[in-house]
Amino acid sequence: MVEKLYSAVSGSYSKEYPKERLTSTSVSLRAMSSARETWPLSGHENDRLCKYGGGAGIPSRDLLGYGPSPAVVWPKGAKVALSFVMNYEEGGERCTLHGDSESESLLSDCLPHDDVSPLADQRNTVMESLYDYGARAGFWRLHSLFTKRKVPLTVFAVGMALERNPAVCLALREQPDWEVASHGYRWINYHNVEEDVEREHIRRAIRIHEQLLGKRPVGMYQGKVSQNTRRLVVEEGGFKYDSDSYCDDLPYWNRDYGDKLHLTIPYTLTENDMRYTTPNGYPNGDAFGRDLKETLRYMVEEGRAGHQRMMSVGLHCRLSHPGRDAALAEFLEFAKSYGREVWICTREQIADYWMEHHSPKGAGSPMKTQHDNVGELPRRTSSRDEESTDSAEEGDEKAKSEDDGDGDVI
């Protein structure tokens, strides 16, 4: 199907080279010469390409994706896979007490008139206390909200932050239906961090998870990445997925790293409580809750029309306050009211399902569009699937999936 889409968006190439099979590679070679010859002052080798920029372990850009009508069937006929994510970062942010050269300045409830610029070689005790709130109070509020309602979630946990709070680590160990993914060793911007340092941080975070939680993480979200991050994650191995992408409403396979296929489960900066702290963001919990409800309602309607999606909700412990979490609690009940149409799950569960039902050729059933033949694949449940949430009720014993047609996997 992807070949057809490449042909459709590259009609001019089809006319010029009708005997050649149009692929992203052949389009790339022709585009390089054609653009430069036709437009010598402004032509670029990546002009008119749908997919470009990869190679040598560097991430590529793909503007085509699955095309207009991806056809995925979630477990038990769910229309939406809903993933809640708690970010546990407090104690891993920039601070001179952590050996950093400046204080933290990002993602807090500081008022607009407050000076939140990084303070060079100084502590910002106001910022520190805002972060401390997340570890001392906000985590426990979210913990209570989700455990009382028996709703699973994924925790993006910063390694250094885990080391500073044994009570939080114990609480996480006692939640078998929760997943704790790696959020790196530090909550810092890795854009200019040396590759060897970032590699060590990834490995150090894994060791902390193993020692304090009794299990290595199978998911990874660095957050503020470098162009090396995903390659280092793939090279390290042991991860089922990473979430350092925002480019789709569905998981996708990444082929940028040789023969090592890698699954990416996109995250969100939109349905995310961080917007409480941004200009023109959420002024209160009602606005956040309304946005979440409208997003889920629309996605369920898309799913009923045959276009199932995934919805992520990002949460931060230091932003967890009663009025805001009252709206979040209301949304949880709203989501559960859809019954099995909304599969509330961890990101590890999404990864396991995708690997089983939408792996590349030779390893399962490839992802195709609704225009390809659709068969049925026996549904194989796991204990985590059975216990994940009330919204995944006992139901169909089979989940529709796709057979091994000739559709490409992205």
Side-chain angles (χ1 to χ4, degrees):
M1 183 60 188
V2 173
E3 291 293 320
K4 298 175 184 178
L5 288 169
Y6 272 116
S7 298
V9 300
S10 308
S12 60
Y13 293 107
S14 300
K15 295 176 182 177
E16 294 181 55
Y17 312 103
K19 295 183 179 180
E20 296 187 18
R21 185 166 185 254
L22 209 59
T23 66
S24 57
T25 303
S26 63
V27 169
S28 175
L29 295 175
R30 295 299 180 183
M32 287 171 63
S33 59
S34 177
R36 286 176 173 172
E37 292 171 2
T38 305
W39 309 105
L41 300 181
S42 61
H44 189 272
E45 63 184 24
N46 292 329
D47 290 349
R48 303 161 73 181
L49 297 185
C50 301
K51 186 172 183 178
Y52 56 95
I58 303 299
S60 61
R61 293 191 66 183
D62 182 350
L63 304 183
L64 206 58
Y66 290 120
S69 304
V72 57
V73 179
W74 293 117
K76 302 175 184 177
K79 311 307 179 189
V80 177
L82 176 57
S83 165
F84 290 96
V85 174
M86 178 202 296
N87 291 268
Y88 187 73
E89 301 160 341
E90 292 76 14
E93 76 284 357
R94 289 176 296 170
C95 180
T96 57
L97 297 176
H98 303 162
D100 299 307
S101 61
E102 61 185 13
S103 61
E104 186 55 70
S105 62
L106 301 175
L107 222 165
S108 78
D109 277 318
C110 275
L111 297 174
H113 57 74
D114 291 333
D115 182 5
V116 293
S117 300
L119 301 180
D121 299 317
Q122 298 181 58
R123 293 177 61 185
N124 185 332
T125 56
V126 172
M127 185 66 69
E128 289 173 15
S129 66
L130 288 167
Y131 271 72
D132 292 351
Y133 182 88
R136 295 164 60 107
F139 170 83
W140 299 108
R141 182 171 291 114
L142 288 174
H143 177 272
S144 175
L145 191 156
F146 279 87
T147 55
K148 286 182 178 179
R149 291 163 178 79
K150 299 182 179 179
V151 174
L153 82 161
T154 294
V155 180
F156 287 165
V158 171
M160 180 183 281
L162 289 175
E163 287 184 309
R164 299 185 189 283
N165 201 324
V168 165
C169 292
L170 179 60
L172 293 175
R173 291 182 68 127
E174 293 177 342
Q175 296 304 318
D177 293 334
W178 289 19
E179 172 204 0
V180 186
S182 176
H183 197 355
Y185 174 61
R186 297 291 311 279
W187 195 70
I188 59 175
N189 192 335
Y190 282 89
H191 184 73
N192 292 317
V193 172
E194 292 184 6
E195 182 176 327
D196 288 343
V197 174
E198 185 176 10
R199 180 184 289 110
E200 181 176 289
H201 279 198
I202 291 172
R203 292 175 176 172
R204 190 172 179 181
I206 293 172
R207 180 67 61 85
I208 290 170
H209 278 247
E210 290 173 336
Q211 292 177 338
L212 299 183
L213 303 179
K215 178 183 178 182
R216 71 149 288 152
V218 296
M220 174 70 181
Y221 177 69
Q222 190 81 292
K224 293 175 283 189
V225 301
S226 73
Q227 68 175 12
N228 300 313
T229 301
R230 181 166 289 136
R231 174 174 56 81
L232 294 175
V233 169
V234 174
E235 289 177 359
E236 177 64 28
F239 289 101
K240 295 180 180 180
Y241 72 92
D242 81 73
S243 285
D244 280 306
S245 174
Y246 313 94
C247 72
D248 212 305
D249 294 319
L250 288 171
Y252 61 92
W253 293 101
N254 188 296
R255 288 194 174 100
D256 288 335
Y257 307 97
D259 58 353
K260 294 184 178 180
L261 273 173
H262 180 69
L263 183 65
T264 297
I265 302 178
Y267 186 44
T268 181
L269 299 180
T270 307
E271 283 69 52
N272 193 310
D273 67 0
M274 64 175 283
R275 292 193 171 273
Y276 283 123
T277 70
T278 61
N280 300 317
Y282 302 126
N284 51 50
D286 288 342
F288 184 40
R290 182 169 60 253
D291 185 23
L292 296 182
K293 289 180 181 179
E294 291 303 315
T295 300
L296 182 59
R297 182 182 292 113
Y298 198 91
M299 282 190 161
V300 169
E301 291 300 322
E302 288 183 319
R304 289 170 179 171
H307 311 311
Q308 284 83 349
R309 311 289 189 188
M310 178 188 74
M311 177 180 173
S312 298
V313 177
L315 307 168
H316 293 79
C317 296
R318 60 190 172 278
L319 304 182
S320 173
H321 291 270
R324 296 170 177 176
D325 285 357
L328 177 60
E330 186 176 323
F331 174 70
L332 287 177
E333 298 305 322
F334 177 79
K336 294 174 70 173
S337 72
Y338 279 102
R340 63 186 183 190
E341 283 193 301
V342 174
W343 177 37
I344 307 179
C345 53
T346 67
R347 299 176 93 74
E348 182 180 3
Q349 287 176 289
I350 292 174
D352 289 340
Y353 183 83
W354 207 261
M355 290 175 185
E356 181 178 354
H357 296 285
H358 297 300
S359 291
K361 295 174 184 177
S365 181
M367 177 69 186
K368 301 190 298 298
T369 74
Q370 65 177 4
H371 301 296
D372 297 304
N373 294 329
V374 178
E376 288 198 353
L377 189 68
R379 161 75 173 145
R380 290 178 289 184
T381 60
S382 67
S383 59
R384 293 189 64 142
D385 287 334
E386 293 296 334
E387 299 173 0
S388 62
T389 177
D390 293 337
S391 68
E393 300 171 353
E394 290 296 329
D396 302 333
E397 294 299 321
K398 293 183 179 181
K400 293 182 180 179
S401 189
E402 300 74 32
D403 57 18
D404 295 325
D406 59 358
D408 286 347
V409 183
I410 297 180

